[in-house]
Amino acid sequence: MSNAHTLLPQPRLPGRYAIALVCLGNICRSPMADVVLVQRLDDAGLSGLVQVRSSGTGDWHVGNPMDDRAAATLTAAGYDATRHRARQFARSWLDELDLVLVMDGANLDDVGGRSERVMLFGEFDPVAPGTEVPDPYYGGPDGFEEVLQMVERTSVAITAALQRLMDRP
């Protein structure tokens, strides 16, 4: 996991960090990752220092709650999936965010490509670094479970890297 620490860009503002999680429609993968990462950050005492937002590259679902199957998967695992409302990624965010984590290569292309501050969420996956998070939308419940497992383990790695970056034990 020491590799994850070196991947994190420095914060634009000392003592604060802003992350966007991005998928296609902002109703499955990025909201699941948002809920899990926010919980991990809260547990680590970083909630006041790290801001997380999720969004989609498309506008089809703006204002809608997350997919029922994604919400059910999160709820069954003990997370609160009720607050999410889909929004669309804005390129202007690139100037204010410390890190943009996209779920797959198409999302990466949609936000303008890889840079120091834009990368795949899966680059922090401790089990399969660099893996894309598969879109479960057209599949069954197993796909949502797979996404949850990926975002849980990756959120642990991201949180640990942020703790080191922010000098928090």
Side-chain angles (χ1 to χ4, degrees):
M1 281 195 233
S2 61
N3 187 31
H5 176 61
T6 61
L7 288 175
L8 284 177
Q10 290 296 311
R12 293 179 189 268
L13 299 173
R16 298 273 181 226
Y17 212 83
I19 300 172
L21 304 167
V22 182
C23 67
L24 185 61
N26 194 222
I27 58 168
C28 297
R29 296 171 291 172
S30 59
M32 290 179 75
D34 183 350
V35 168
V36 172
L37 181 57
V38 166
Q39 182 62 55
R40 295 294 179 271
L41 293 168
D42 287 349
D43 293 347
L46 293 173
S47 60
L49 303 174
V50 181
Q51 173 204 30
V52 179
R53 66 176 89 157
S54 70
S55 62
T57 58
D59 64 358
W60 316 281
H61 303 291
V62 170
N64 293 337
M66 75 175 74
D67 181 279
D68 290 341
R69 298 163 297 170
T73 302
L74 285 169
T75 301
Y79 297 99
D80 178 6
T82 61
R83 291 181 294 231
H84 175 77
R85 292 297 174 265
R87 62 181 153 180
Q88 188 173 15
F89 180 81
R91 282 196 184 241
S92 63
W93 294 358
L94 294 171
D95 295 329
E96 59 193 60
L97 293 165
D98 296 302
L99 183 61
V100 176
L101 295 174
V102 299
M103 298 298 145
D104 64 32
N107 304 146
L108 188 62
D109 290 343
D110 288 343
V111 300
R114 193 181 198 306
S115 71
E116 176 192 3
R117 296 190 183 274
V118 179
M119 58 191 76
L120 287 171
F121 181 83
E123 289 183 47
F124 295 91
D125 188 329
V127 173
T131 303
E132 292 186 352
V133 179
D135 190 344
Y137 187 76
Y138 292 106
D142 289 351
F144 290 90
E145 286 294 333
E146 178 186 5
V147 168
L148 179 59
Q149 290 172 13
M150 292 178 83
V151 300
E152 283 183 324
R153 68 183 182 239
T154 304
S155 292
V156 168
I158 292 168
T159 300
L162 283 164
Q163 284 178 300
R164 290 188 297 274
L165 184 69
M166 305 298 280
D167 291 322
R168 295 288 194 183

